[in-house]
Every structure is written in structure tokens, then in C-alpha cells.
Amino acid sequence: MKYLKFSFYICTFFVTILSAQTKEISLEEIWTGAYRTEGMDVLHSMANGQQYSVLNFDRNARSTSIDIYNYKTLEKVETLVNSKNINELNYFSDYTFSNDETKVILATNEESIYRHSVLGNYYVFDIKTKSITAVSEEKIQEPTFSPDATKVAFAKANNLFIKDLISGETIQITFDGKKNEIINGITDWVYEEEFAFVRAFEWNADSNNIAFIRFDETSVPEFSMDVYGEGLYQTQQVFKYPKAGEPNSTVSLHIYNLETKNSEEVKLDKAYNEFYIPRIKWTNNPNILSAQYINRKQNVLDLWFVNAKTNSANLGLTETDKAYVDVTDNLTFLKDNSFIWTSEKDGYNHIYHYDKNGKLINQVTKGNWEVTSYYGYDEKTNRIFYQSVENGSINRDVYAIKLNGRNKTRLTKGEGTNDASFSADFSYFINTFSSATTPPKYSLNSADSGNLIKSIKDNDVLSQNLSDYKTSKKEFSTIHVNGNDLNMWMIKPANFDASKQYPLFMTQYSGPGSQSVANTWNSANDYWYQMLAQQGYIIVCIDGRGTGLKGAEFKKVTQNELGKYEVEDQIAAAKQLGALPYIDASRIGIWGWSYGGFMSSNCLFKGNDVFKMAIAVAPVSSWRFYDSIYTERYMGVPQDNASGYDENSPLSHVNKLKGNFLLVHGSADDNVHLQNTMRLTEALIQADKQFDWAIYPDKNHGIYGGNTRLHLYKKMTNFINEKLGGKGE
């Protein structure tokens, strides 16, 4: 569950209170998009460094286009592709350029498989000739240009194919793919969810080798879900899902040579019993492939360099940790094949520079703060660009620093959340800025100084519209709990009166490495919290121990005991807040989704003298039911840590329930299976505990589609009002 993500992250919301604020936020407006922000879709920096492309939608013409803009003037230069001029397709939803930008892959008819994976129809559009070619007549996955733009590799029915764009011929390069048995070049369910990638194949620089990962799922237990649909009989979705301690896919690394038409498996000298291959990436040397291998326990990560010519491998570096090692996405090879790497081996996530053999040259960034994004390296100025929380763990800024770790420069000025998209030559960056008081703003900035060049887009119209609504300030602070200063925000009713008492409603997620208290613009949930504040609630969010961006020690304290320290922090914080004169300690509630639902269940059960009610949406009820990669990273296998799995499971504490409990799940949740709620429900029944629950038919972990979200939030709002009563007294 790569954080057991729920579609709407808990973010921030604030609009200056004006006397004209009379309108009230409604659930109908939230879920029909009334507060939606304007953005920039599929932004791509062109290779010339002076232009960028954006995917634009023309709602009137019902068409899509790729439009080219000039960085310096921000004016549109040309429309590169417009679907209304292409007979073969009515629209496209995404695009990918070839390296030389002479061709572009257009995506249409895309349908989701799981969280990241999609099936779709894809076309290659030749920008010079204006011709269009279907990559395949059937729906396929992950079409990818070769670096020389003469071929496209793609996956279909668990096998890999290559289409030659010159001859038009398509060849198949793997043949053993079979549903729920063998997958070539596409990740299995658990890799997609937890290592967050789908395409498990990579072209080398010379376009003559493709490295790919092969998954043998044969021994992985199957999980099935009934899909009720509208027919007379339900159907079943059956897929391989390794739960904690159960067999994983057997993975192997292979290299296919287009000239010899042979595929060879990569053999390593070091013996691994059980392992994952979470990342592969070719170096600048077309014969050398890098591959990250991590043991099943995930506390040892090796970076290997594989020679495709000799099929030999050398170990570049090894990372170890008492708890676990995070897989890095930031591996970047420089011209001399030295490389950039990020690691939290000094206790905080930082940037390191290694030579081509894996020998440390220097640690580039240092300090008691975390690097949160790596943007790239500019060889002309010898500078690395990155994002960090150096300016406070709830804020994010963009920085530049020399490769040797000197001359660090903060490039962004606004206090809040800054994120950058750099031009290909690192002369400009488009900054996306938002804060609790400012909706997203897009601006063009100088990469040299960070100075503003031009504003591109803002959401001032939304700000103006929101000024008519009753809204409250989001107050950021810390609360000292169990020896730690925890980040917190609080929203009070707009007409707050300190002489009155208000019910308290707590929201949290709490998963390892996550962050819910952040100085950024609002999500849909934040409008809901504002609506609840209108109805007389005080809303609070606290990031307890185990959450991220405050160092490895703070994050990894929950190792082997998920749900212990995080729950202790929420209960202790609720007690402290309940002692405030304006909070009614007899009316405290808590809610959460996914990991947050696991937490809210435990808080209500274990903190039965503190919490009057809780809502748990799509919760884990036992880590024994969740997938191997996520769960074992933090808990080990249940065979070795039975007490850690069971002592903090909500199933073990149902007999403590005193308050009011609402339990919600989607019946087609492929991530946190309905099994979790069914087992928790049965345990509550056998403990003779009354509770409320709702199952949303054929809905996945996000529980959305049609009227679903509105229905769910109405149900939750009614439950809160019924059990806590919203008016301050």
C-alpha cells in the first residue's frame, strides 16, 4: 500500500474571514467539483530548453491537443497535435515524446487495472509527416519508444513485443506469459502497489538491448472478489496476492538482445534466498545495467552493475538498516557514470555522490532535515536541484547546491509547499506554490536565482468565490505528547467563543513515513472539515510517531509494532486537548481511511475512556491480511513476530468497545480486502458489541464513482452529528 493511500490526501485550507462570509459549504458542492483548482496538465519540457508542452482540453470542440509554449514569453508557439485533425481517434488523454521529439505516443481509451496500471489503445504520431500509426490493434500496456525512436516496446497478455516503426513489423520477444502464472516486463499486483511502478522493462542507450523483470506467480496464493454488477449472477475477479508471510512471485532479471534475438537471464554471484528487484536502470554505458536488489526483510539493499555483453555483475554499493531501507527513485548517472543517490543512512534523507564503481565521493546535502524530491543535475553549472523541508517539516522549498556540497541556494520564497518542473537545460523552472492560505499558483522562475520571471496561472477566481463562504483559519502548532513535539493543525468554528465548549473531531492517517499536517492547499476533505466547523466542531489533525519528514528515528520507532505508538500518541493528544476549557472532553471523535481506519478503530477500542465515536473506512483489521512487501517492511513475517501482529490488531480489542463505531468498506477493494471488515464485524458480533456499518458494492479502495462519495460523506456527517452533536454549548 505505499502508504495505504486514500485518493484525497489530508491537506490545508484557509480563507481570510470577511464580514461578507455568509454561504455555507455543502457536500453537494464538494463532490461536484465546485472548489476544483486550475492546473497544468502533462507538462513536458522540450529538449531545446526554451519551450514546454501542455495537454489542453477543448470542452466545446470535445478535443485534446498538445500545445507548445515559450518559457520566456509564456505565449503559445504552436499546436503540435490536435485530435480534431486526426480521423483515427476522437481524443487522447496522455502523450509521451520520443527522445528526439520527432514522434509522440498518444493514449486513448485507457482503462484502469489497479492503482497505477492501465490498458489502452496507443498511436504513434509522426510530427513531421503528420501520419499516425496504431502500436497495436488490441489494448496494450506501457508502450515505450526506443531511444533512437525507430521502435516501440510494449506488453500484451503478460508478454513483451517490439514494433518496428520503419518496417511496420511487430515481433514477440517472450512467449511464456500466462494470467496468474507468468508476467514478463509488467509488475505483479504487489510490486505495482508497494514499489509504485508498472513498466518492468527498459531500453539501453543504443536501442539494441531490453532489460526486463520476469515474475513467476505460480506459487503465490490467489485472492478472489465477487463482482456483483447488474447481471443475474455475480462474476469473480481472481488475482495473485501474497499476504504477509506467504510465498511471493519468484523474480528474475533478463536481457533481450535485438541483434541476436536471444534473451539471457542475469545471474548474480551473491546468493539470495528471497529477494525483490524494485528498480532497474541502464547507465550511460549501453552495455551496463544497474539493478537494485533488496532482501525480503528489506533491511539490505544492493546496487548491482550488470554487463550485458558478458552477463557478469559487480556489486556497486550496499545499504543496510536495523529496520528497513527505502528504495530510491533518485539514481542519476552523470556523463562519467558516477552517480547521484539518496539515502537516509545518516538519519535523514540526503543526497550522495558516488563514482562509477560505487565508491563514495561525497555527501552533498547534510542536516537535521529531509530531502523530499530530487529534480536533476545541471552539468553546465555543476548544480543539483532538489526539494526539502529545511524550512520546517510542514513546508517544502526548492534548492540548488553544487555537486561538492557548497553554495547552497534557496530558490523559492513563499512559505508553504513549493514544487518545481525544470526546463531541459535547467535555465528555468515552473514553480507550483500553495499554502494553507493560497491556492495553487504557477510561475516561471529563473533557475539561476529563483527570481520570478512571470506568473503563469493562479486560482484567484476560486479565492474570490470562497471569500463568500463561512470558513476558518487552519492554525498550525505543535503538541507535546509522549516526549515528542508533534505537528498539529486545528480548525475552530468561524464564530468560535472560548467561553463555550465544542465537540472535538480528530482526523489522521498515521502510516509510516506519511504526512498529514502540511502547509499546502486544500483537498476535498478540507472542505468537509470546514463544513463540520460551520456546524460547531473543532477539527484537529496530528502527525504522531511513525510519520515522516522528521528523521529516520522518529519514523522507524514503530518497527515491529504498527499501531502501538501511533495509537498511544492519538489517545494522549485527545486527553490533552480534552482538558482545554473550550473542548468538551465527553464528545471526542476520530476517523481515518485505510491505515487511518486501522488507527481510528484501535483508538476507539483502546481509548474507550477518551473517544465517544470513531469512523473507520477501508481499514486493516489485522496485518496478517495485508500484502507481503508493505507489511513485512515494518513488521517482519508473522511467523517471527506473532505478538506484534496480534497485540495491536483491532480484532484483539473488540471487547473494549464502549463508544459508537461506523465501519465502511468497498466490496471490490483489491488493496485492503473486504475480508478485514468482515473479520472485524464477526469479532464485534461475537463480543456482543453494537455498531453501524456500510458496504459499497463493487467499489475499490477509493470508494468512488457516480453518487458514491456524496452518499458516503452524507452517511459519515450524519453519524458524527448524531453521536457527537455539533453545536457548541
Side-chain angles (χ1 to χ4, degrees):
M1 82 185 97
K2 195 73 177 174
Y3 298 162
L4 276 161
K5 283 184 267 192
F6 150 45
S7 304
F8 293 90
Y9 293 89
I10 303 169
C11 296
T12 56
F13 175 80
F14 163 63
V15 175
T16 305
I17 299 172
L18 302 173
S19 58
Q21 291 180 309
T22 57
K23 294 176 69 175
E24 295 196 345
I25 290 170
S26 71
L27 290 172
E28 285 78 8
E29 287 177 317
I30 295 172
W31 297 113
T32 55
Y35 313 117
R36 187 181 294 124
T37 57
E38 295 288 326
M40 298 178 71
D41 289 322
V42 198
L43 177 66
H44 166 81
S45 178
M46 305 299 287
N48 60 26
Q50 303 305 303
Q51 297 174 329
Y52 63 92
S53 65
V54 175
L55 183 68
N56 284 325
F57 298 86
D58 185 333
R59 298 185 189 281
N60 294 324
R62 300 180 65 82
S63 63
T64 49
S65 60
I66 303 172
D67 296 318
I68 310 298
Y69 294 81
N70 183 285
Y71 273 113
K72 195 171 290 185
T73 65
L74 300 180
E75 293 179 356
K76 187 165 87 170
V77 177
E78 64 173 320
T79 294
L80 206 62
V81 189
N82 194 315
S83 65
K84 69 182 181 182
N85 300 325
I86 302 173
N87 294 329
E88 287 82 356
L89 68 165
N90 295 322
Y91 73 97
F92 51 91
S93 53
D94 202 354
Y95 68 93
T96 308
F97 280 104
S98 60
N99 284 357
D100 62 5
E101 296 178 349
T102 61
K103 301 179 180 71
V104 61
I105 292 175
L106 306 177
T108 187
N109 299 325
E110 289 186 305
E111 57 181 275
S112 293
I113 304 173
Y114 297 118
R115 187 189 295 272
H116 305 288
S117 53
V118 294
L119 270 172
N121 296 117
Y122 299 90
Y123 295 82
V124 173
F125 182 81
D126 188 304
I127 293 168
K128 184 177 180 180
T129 65
K130 309 298 183 188
S131 61
I132 190 165
T133 304
V135 179
S136 171
E137 296 302 319
E138 301 171 81
K139 285 196 170 185
I140 60 173
Q141 289 182 267
E142 301 295 321
T144 305
F145 281 117
S146 59
D148 65 6
T150 64
K151 301 173 184 67
V152 173
F154 62 91
K156 182 178 68 174
N158 290 15
N159 282 311
L160 286 175
F161 299 78
I162 300 172
K163 183 179 182 71
D164 189 310
L165 297 176
I166 297 172
S167 68
E169 179 188 9
T170 297
I171 63 169
Q172 184 171 345
I173 66 172
T174 68
F175 297 88
D176 58 349
K178 186 177 180 182
K179 182 176 174 59
N180 287 336
E181 289 188 17
I182 304 295
I183 315 173
N184 292 288
I186 295 293
T187 54
D188 65 0
W189 185 95
V190 71
Y191 266 63
E192 174 179 342
E193 178 66 25
E194 306 306 348
F195 289 137
F197 75 112
V198 176
R199 179 167 58 86
F201 66 87
E202 295 283 340
W203 287 97
N204 73 336
D206 283 354
S207 304
N208 61 0
N209 280 314
I210 292 179
F212 66 93
I213 304 172
R214 178 181 181 270
F215 295 79
D216 183 345
E217 297 187 293
T218 307
S219 299
V220 179
E222 285 184 346
F223 191 85
S224 64
M225 300 186 302
D226 281 338
V227 179
Y228 297 97
E230 297 179 353
L232 191 60
Y233 294 91
Q234 85 277 21
T235 59
Q236 273 198 328
Q237 182 179 356
V238 180
F239 59 102
K240 296 298 185 103
Y241 185 108
K243 293 181 183 284
E246 295 296 306
N248 284 315
S249 291
T250 300
V251 293
S252 52
L253 180 59
H254 302 255
I255 298 177
Y256 177 85
N257 185 285
L258 277 73
E259 294 164 358
T260 66
K261 294 183 169 52
N262 287 328
S263 180
E264 284 197 68
E265 181 179 350
V266 173
K267 300 288 189 180
L268 299 180
D269 292 334
K270 186 173 179 178
Y272 290 91
N273 292 323
E274 291 188 83
F275 60 89
Y276 303 109
I277 310 175
R279 297 290 184 269
I280 57 174
K281 184 174 186 175
W282 289 93
T283 70
N284 293 322
N285 182 334
N287 295 317
I288 305 297
L289 172 74
S290 75
Q292 295 180 42
Y293 281 68
I294 191 166
N295 64 334
R296 179 157 183 168
K297 195 173 180 181
Q298 299 177 66
N299 62 353
V300 180
L301 185 149
D302 291 327
L303 176 66
W304 288 86
F305 295 113
V306 179
N307 189 309
K309 277 192 170 180
T310 63
N311 196 23
S312 59
N314 295 314
L315 182 61
L317 64 82
T318 297
E319 294 250 344
T320 61
D321 192 277
K322 289 184 298 183
Y324 59 89
V325 180
D326 277 320
V327 172
T328 178
D329 287 307
N330 300 324
L331 175 60
T332 304
F333 292 98
L334 309 188
K335 275 192 171 177
D336 61 0
N337 264 337
S338 66
F339 59 91
I340 305 296
W341 180 265
T342 53
S343 167
E344 58 181 19
K345 65 182 182 179
D346 79 342
Y348 293 85
N349 194 51
H350 282 297
I351 300 171
Y352 295 80
H353 183 206
Y354 290 86
D355 72 14
K356 66 179 181 179
N357 298 312
K359 181 181 177 182
L360 179 65
I361 298 173
N362 68 294
Q363 182 175 345
V364 180
T365 61
K366 298 177 183 177
N368 295 339
W369 44 269
E370 306 257 328
V371 170
T372 43
S373 286
Y374 167 82
Y375 296 120
Y377 169 70
D378 179 14
E379 61 185 35
K380 298 192 307 298
T381 62
N382 199 34
R383 294 199 302 170
I384 288 172
F385 297 93
Y386 66 94
Q387 179 200 61
S388 81
V389 293
E390 186 172 357
N391 186 35
S393 59
I394 66 170
N395 299 311
R396 302 195 187 196
D397 281 287
V398 179
Y399 290 83
I401 193 171
K402 291 285 189 180
L403 187 60
N404 62 11
R406 298 174 184 168
N407 300 336
K408 181 170 65 178
T409 305
R410 179 181 168 188
L411 297 177
T412 48
K413 320 299 181 189
E415 185 162 307
T417 298
N418 295 272
D419 195 10
S421 175
F422 282 85
S423 61
D425 65 356
F426 291 100
S427 56
Y428 306 103
F429 70 92
I430 292 175
N431 188 49
T432 304
F433 169 76
S434 78
S435 72
T437 59
T438 308
K441 290 187 174 183
Y442 302 84
S443 63
L444 181 68
N445 298 69
S446 162
D448 180 51
S449 63
N451 290 340
L452 174 70
I453 296 174
K454 250 176 198 178
S455 175
I456 301 174
K457 183 179 284 191
D458 58 40
N459 281 279
D460 289 348
V461 172
L462 175 62
S463 292
Q464 185 60 41
N465 291 341
L466 288 171
S467 67
D468 295 333
Y469 286 81
K470 291 180 185 175
T471 53
S472 305
K473 179 180 179 180
K474 178 170 281 187
E475 303 170 5
F476 290 95
S477 62
T478 59
I479 182 169
H480 192 73
V481 172
N482 294 324
N484 294 278
D485 291 322
L486 307 179
N487 291 338
M488 178 176 82
W489 58 249
M490 178 183 288
I491 297 173
K492 298 171 183 170
N495 60 352
F496 174 73
D497 182 344
S499 67
K500 295 182 177 181
Q501 283 199 321
Y502 298 85
L504 174 67
F505 188 60
M506 297 175 67
T507 175
Q508 47 68 55
Y509 176 74
S510 304
S514 65
Q515 184 184 52
S516 296
V517 182
N519 189 8
T520 185
W521 186 244
N522 60 298
S523 71
N525 273 346
D526 289 285
Y527 293 103
W528 184 46
Y529 303 142
Q530 289 288 334
M531 191 194 83
L532 292 174
Q534 289 171 181
Q535 297 177 5
Y537 297 93
I538 290 177
I539 318 296
V540 163
C541 181
I542 296 166
D543 278 339
R545 283 174 289 178
T547 57
L549 309 186
K550 298 183 79 171
E553 185 178 352
F554 184 85
K555 178 175 69 173
K556 294 178 179 178
V557 69
T558 62
Q559 193 70 12
N560 296 321
E561 295 186 292
L562 291 184
K564 174 178 169 59
Y565 299 107
E566 310 97 299
V567 170
E568 289 176 0
D569 284 352
Q570 296 295 324
I571 292 173
K575 286 180 179 178
Q576 278 195 43
L577 294 168
L580 294 171
Y582 52 82
I583 289 179
D584 183 347
S586 69
R587 292 190 292 162
I588 299 178
I590 189 168
W591 95 291
W593 194 305
S594 199
Y595 198 104
F598 161 74
M599 286 287 299
S600 59
S601 303
N602 264 337
C603 286
L604 183 64
F605 300 166
K606 290 185 176 184
N608 58 14
D609 59 336
V610 177
F611 292 100
K612 186 179 182 182
M613 59 77 66
I615 300 171
V617 182
V620 170
S621 62
S622 169
W623 290 109
R624 292 177 181 272
F625 304 149
Y626 200 62
D627 77 57
S628 56
I629 293 179
Y630 182 93
T631 308
E632 294 169 15
R633 181 185 303 147
Y634 310 115
M635 296 286 283
V637 295
Q639 294 90 329
D640 297 335
N641 185 25
S643 62
Y645 275 79
D646 297 335
E647 287 178 9
N648 297 302
S649 163
L651 295 175
S652 300
H653 301 280
V654 290
N655 60 340
K656 299 174 184 174
L657 175 62
K658 293 181 181 177
N660 303 287
F661 189 38
L662 173 59
L663 184 56
V664 178
H665 221 114
S667 73
D669 192 334
D670 62 284
N671 185 355
V672 181
H673 301 150
L674 179 61
Q675 172 189 29
N676 287 271
T677 282
M678 288 303 190
R679 291 288 286 270
L680 183 53
T681 296
E682 175 63 11
L684 287 163
I685 292 168
Q686 296 309 319
D688 197 22
K689 299 294 182 180
Q690 294 297 313
F691 62 99
D692 294 89
W693 64 315
I695 303 298
Y696 284 87
D698 297 342
K699 296 299 180 282
N700 65 15
H701 194 56
I703 311 183
Y704 62 89
N707 202 46
T708 305
R709 273 285 171 89
L710 178 59
H711 186 278
L712 170 59
Y713 276 76
K714 280 183 176 178
K715 176 173 286 293
M716 294 194 296
T717 303
N718 291 339
F719 188 79
I720 295 165
N721 286 333
E722 179 185 336
K723 306 306 181 185
L724 289 186
K727 300 301 179 183
E729 296 175 356

